């Protein structure tokens, strides 16, 4: 049973307010549509909307509280502050200080959300676990997620994202993890950096906030492993490694079977998904349990039943009019690292006389290197057994031009054309991979199927 998240006296301590002591609150919200009963709503001004527009709606429930930064304070269930986002951070900081939970923080160029969800599902076998909802990994989402950490949670799992230098440093000093994970280093958000080494140093900022005697979990196969290892060693942070190469948690493949070598002992886990990216996440998850001295037998079935989040490479059979399609939906996000992994995994699927079709959208936030990385994608695709490639967006034209003629499907300018013509582009029993950055619209398009 969920306990009260905050008592009125705690809120009064954090905000120097005088809320009636009979009040208590169950959740913190920054989206008025998600406010229910006994919630604290922070009216934050974003790029597209202002939460202050919805304060009256929130306060129709007499058990709710709103934190505002403008307007007249004429309600005993209103607290006025200088900056509501900073106030949310203050509450998140208080939540972290009072918590006795083991805190895990994840960063990396791709795989953060999938790993977070995998850890969330397996840690629940050992105690109450809280994790950030969806991809809430920025300066809004992390304090919101941390503020909802309950006093009696045993574990908290948070993902930390960044698009420029210093952002992870800011977030990790709020979260203060006992265990941190860097999944990989790649050219995501490279438009804000001189090179990938700059991204590596920005991701390494996660080590700045690790608690004393904490642990950093690193991908031994990543080309920046040695760089990250040196940074960790200078900070005297204990290192645990995972990967296909020799590591603490080593992924081993033999005759279409996968097992894990854990400190010279062999462990088998029931699994259906053998994609490389998924195996990395499983290995990183095992690292966490190993570091916590958990009995790994308690999670031997966990990786077999885990459902991949929507838009992160999940498979589903859909019907477009009278055509049956096997859809691999990886359209929530895309960068050169995740695209290459998706193409690699797709190429391993048996065709069984069916066509393999890729609908590829733009990779965004690549800056001056965008043309190069989109062209590189074509070189990777040309070496695979993918039959047809449909490209949607503007930057992806560089991919389309470099494709082998036999693989060229069509260069599509926008999602509207796809909506009107997808039936004609696909054949019955096609195997379809959709891969794109979210803003292109493929994720929302395929959600309706």
């Amino acid at each position: 049973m969920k306990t009260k998240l905050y008592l009125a006296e705690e809120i009064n301590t954090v905000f120097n307010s005088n809320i009636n002591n009979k009040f208590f609150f169950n959740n913190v919200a920054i989206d008025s549509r998600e406010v229910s009963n006994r919630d604290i709503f922070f009216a934050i001004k974003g790029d597209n909307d202002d939460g202050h527009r919805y304060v009256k709606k929130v306060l129709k429930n007499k058990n709710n509280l709103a934190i505002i930064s403008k307007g007249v304070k004429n309600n005993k269930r209103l607290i006025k502050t200088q900056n509501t986002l900073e106030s949310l951070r203050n509450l998140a900081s208080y939540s972290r200080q009072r918590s006795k939970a083991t805190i895990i923080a994840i960063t990396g160029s791709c795989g953060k959300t999938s790993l977070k969800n995998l850890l969330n599902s397996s840690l629940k076998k050992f105690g109450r676990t809280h994790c950030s909802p969806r991809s809430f990994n920025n300066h809004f989402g992390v304090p919101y997620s941390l503020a909802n950490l309950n006093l009696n949670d045993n574990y908290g799992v948070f993902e930390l994202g960044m698009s420029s230098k210093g952002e992870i440093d800011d977030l990790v000093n709020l979260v203060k993890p006992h265990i941190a994970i860097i999944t990989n280093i790649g050219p995501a958000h490279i438009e804000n950096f001189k090179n990938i080494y700059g991204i590596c140093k920005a991701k390494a900022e996660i080590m700045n906030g690790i608690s004393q005697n904490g642990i950093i979990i690193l991908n031994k196969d990543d080309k920046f492993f040695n760089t990250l290892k040196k940074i960790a060693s200078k900070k005297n942070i204990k290192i645990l490694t995972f990967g296909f190469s020799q590591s603490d948690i080593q992924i081993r493949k033999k005759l279409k079977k996968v097992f894990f070598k854990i400190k010279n002992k062999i462990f088998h886990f029931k699994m259906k998904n053998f994609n490389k990216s998924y195996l990395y996440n499983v290995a990183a998850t095992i690292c966490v349990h190993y570091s916590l001295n958990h009995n790994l037998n308690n999670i031997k079935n966990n990786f077999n039943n885990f459902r991949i989040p929507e838009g992160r490479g999940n498979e589903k059979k859909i019907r477009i009019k009278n055509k049956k399609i096997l859809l691999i939906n990886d359209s929530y996000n895309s960068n050169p690292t995740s695209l290459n992994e998706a193409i690699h995994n797709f190429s391993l699927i048996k065709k069984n006389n069916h066509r393999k079709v890729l609908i590829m959208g733009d990779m965004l936030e690549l800056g001056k290197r965008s043309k190069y990385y989109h062209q590189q994608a074509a070189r990777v695709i040309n070496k695979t057994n993918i039959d047809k490639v449909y490209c949607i967006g503007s930057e992806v034209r560089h991919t389309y031009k470099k494709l082998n003629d036999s693989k060229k499907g069509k260069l599509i300018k926008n999602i509207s054309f796809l909506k009107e013509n997808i039936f004609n582009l696909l054949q019955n029993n096609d195997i379809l991979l959709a891969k794109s950055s979210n803003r292109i619209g493929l994720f929302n398009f395929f959600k309706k199927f």
Side-chain angles (χ1 to χ4, degrees):
M1 181 178 177
K2 185 169 183 178
T3 60
K4 301 168 184 176
L5 185 60
Y6 295 107
L7 301 176
E9 60 192 63
E10 292 180 288
I11 298 302
N12 289 334
T13 298
V14 174
F15 297 113
N16 192 27
S17 55
N18 58 352
I19 301 298
N20 191 313
N21 279 341
K22 72 177 182 178
F23 281 101
F24 64 89
F25 306 98
N26 293 326
N27 293 287
V28 169
I30 56 176
D31 186 336
S32 63
R33 294 168 296 184
E34 296 177 355
V35 173
S36 54
N37 183 43
R38 296 194 179 279
D39 282 4
I40 304 172
F41 174 66
F42 284 80
I44 294 173
K45 188 179 187 308
D47 294 332
N48 302 313
D49 207 351
D50 188 341
H52 290 86
R53 294 176 54 197
Y54 308 101
V55 171
K56 286 185 179 179
K57 172 189 169 186
V58 167
L59 294 183
K60 284 182 180 179
N61 184 319
K62 294 182 179 180
N63 292 320
N64 289 342
L65 173 70
I67 313 294
I68 61 171
S69 62
K70 61 184 180 182
V72 180
K73 180 185 172 184
N74 58 358
N75 189 307
K76 292 181 179 180
R77 291 178 293 112
L78 279 173
I79 296 176
K80 192 171 183 179
T81 65
Q82 290 292 317
N83 184 309
T84 49
L85 179 56
E86 191 60 34
S87 296
L88 176 61
R89 286 179 59 91
N90 291 339
L91 185 60
S93 180
Y94 173 80
S95 174
R96 179 64 185 91
Q97 289 172 23
R98 71 174 185 173
S99 176
K100 295 179 181 179
T102 298
I103 305 297
I104 299 109
I106 305 164
T107 195
S109 295
C110 61
K112 296 185 294 295
T113 302
S114 297
L115 175 56
K116 177 201 68 183
N117 291 340
L118 190 60
L119 266 170
N120 180 46
S121 70
S122 63
L123 284 169
K124 284 179 178 177
K125 301 284 194 302
F126 300 91
R128 282 179 53 100
T129 304
H130 169 74
C131 80
S132 53
R134 303 190 290 278
S135 292
F136 280 27
N137 60 23
N138 64 6
H139 62 296
F140 293 107
V142 172
Y144 161 73
S145 303
L146 186 56
N148 276 293
L149 179 68
N150 205 287
L151 183 59
N152 65 349
D153 285 328
N154 303 109
Y155 304 99
V157 188
F158 304 92
E159 60 173 297
L160 311 184
M162 66 96 199
S163 57
S164 59
K165 180 183 176 182
E167 290 182 356
I168 287 179
D169 196 24
D170 179 59
L171 296 175
V172 76
N173 282 295
L174 188 65
V175 174
K176 293 179 169 50
H178 301 98
I179 302 169
I181 307 168
I182 301 178
T183 59
N184 47 47
I185 304 295
H189 306 291
I190 199 169
E191 67 177 354
N192 296 324
F193 296 90
K194 289 183 179 179
N195 49 42
I196 301 180
Y197 180 67
I199 294 174
C200 175
K201 290 196 292 183
K203 296 293 185 186
E205 290 171 6
I206 199 169
M207 295 188 230
N208 296 343
I210 294 178
S211 300
Q212 191 173 7
N213 301 318
I215 296 170
I216 183 71
I217 296 172
L218 300 175
N219 184 339
K220 188 74 177 290
D221 300 338
D222 194 89
K223 63 183 179 180
F224 285 96
F225 168 73
N226 287 327
T227 302
L228 295 170
K229 181 184 176 182
K230 287 178 183 177
I231 295 171
S233 297
K234 285 181 180 178
K235 294 177 178 290
N236 294 315
I237 300 172
K238 182 181 177 182
I239 301 168
L240 270 179
T241 61
F242 66 93
F244 285 88
S245 54
Q246 189 66 41
S247 47
D248 295 312
I249 310 298
Q250 186 181 15
I251 309 163
R252 302 285 290 271
K253 274 187 173 184
K254 187 176 181 180
L255 299 175
K256 297 183 180 180
K257 288 186 178 181
V258 173
F259 55 93
F260 295 83
K261 187 179 179 183
I262 303 171
K263 294 286 187 177
N264 298 319
K265 290 185 178 180
I266 301 300
F267 283 80
H268 295 268
F269 299 92
K270 290 185 179 180
M271 295 177 64
K272 298 173 185 173
N273 186 344
F274 301 108
N275 286 348
K276 191 175 181 181
S277 52
Y278 184 67
L279 294 178
Y280 275 133
N281 281 343
V282 169
T285 298
I286 295 171
C287 276
V288 171
H289 288 287
Y290 178 83
S291 70
L292 295 172
N293 295 313
H294 287 165
N295 185 344
L296 297 179
N297 289 322
N298 290 352
I299 58 169
K300 64 181 180 181
N301 296 321
N302 191 73
F303 307 123
N304 194 44
N305 302 321
F306 178 73
R307 289 187 63 185
I308 297 173
E310 184 78 15
R312 308 282 182 172
N314 59 303
E315 292 185 15
K316 59 181 177 180
K317 294 178 181 177
I318 64 172
R319 187 181 290 272
I320 300 177
K321 294 186 180 179
N322 63 338
K323 293 178 181 177
K324 296 178 182 178
I325 307 295
L326 175 61
L327 170 66
I328 301 163
N329 188 2
D330 202 353
S331 58
Y332 189 83
N333 201 5
S334 187
N335 60 55
T337 303
S338 67
L339 175 64
N340 287 343
E341 286 191 1
I343 292 171
H344 172 76
N345 293 333
F346 192 45
S347 67
L348 297 178
I349 296 174
K350 291 183 178 179
K351 294 177 71 170
N352 295 325
N353 297 319
H354 301 315
R355 285 199 320 166
K356 281 188 180 179
V357 179
L358 168 63
I359 297 181
M360 176 184 165
D362 286 347
M363 294 182 285
L364 302 177
E365 300 177 324
L366 296 178
K368 295 177 181 178
R369 302 283 284 170
S370 182
K371 180 179 179 179
Y372 168 78
Y373 283 115
H374 280 90
Q375 288 178 335
Q376 284 295 105
R379 295 184 178 97
V380 174
I381 293 167
N382 285 336
K383 296 176 183 178
T384 69
N385 58 1
I386 296 173
D387 295 291
K388 288 293 175 187
V389 182
Y390 296 96
C391 295
I392 178 168
S394 56
E395 292 301 299
V396 81
R397 72 184 186 278
H398 302 301
T399 305
Y400 191 80
K401 289 177 182 177
K402 293 292 183 179
L403 288 172
N404 294 340
D405 289 341
S406 62
K407 293 185 184 294
K408 288 183 178 179
K410 198 172 187 66
L411 183 58
I412 302 167
K413 287 187 177 180
N414 54 55
I415 202 76
S416 298
F417 180 89
L418 186 65
K419 289 176 181 178
E420 295 171 5
N421 294 277
I422 189 167
F423 176 78
N424 299 320
L425 302 180
L426 299 176
Q427 297 177 10
N428 190 40
N429 293 318
D430 275 351
I431 306 169
L432 171 63
L433 169 64
K435 183 66 177 171
S436 171
S437 288
N438 195 14
R439 272 185 276 163
I440 303 305
L442 284 180
F443 177 68
N444 287 329
F445 174 69
F446 281 111
K447 269 177 69 174
K448 70 180 181 180
F449 292 103

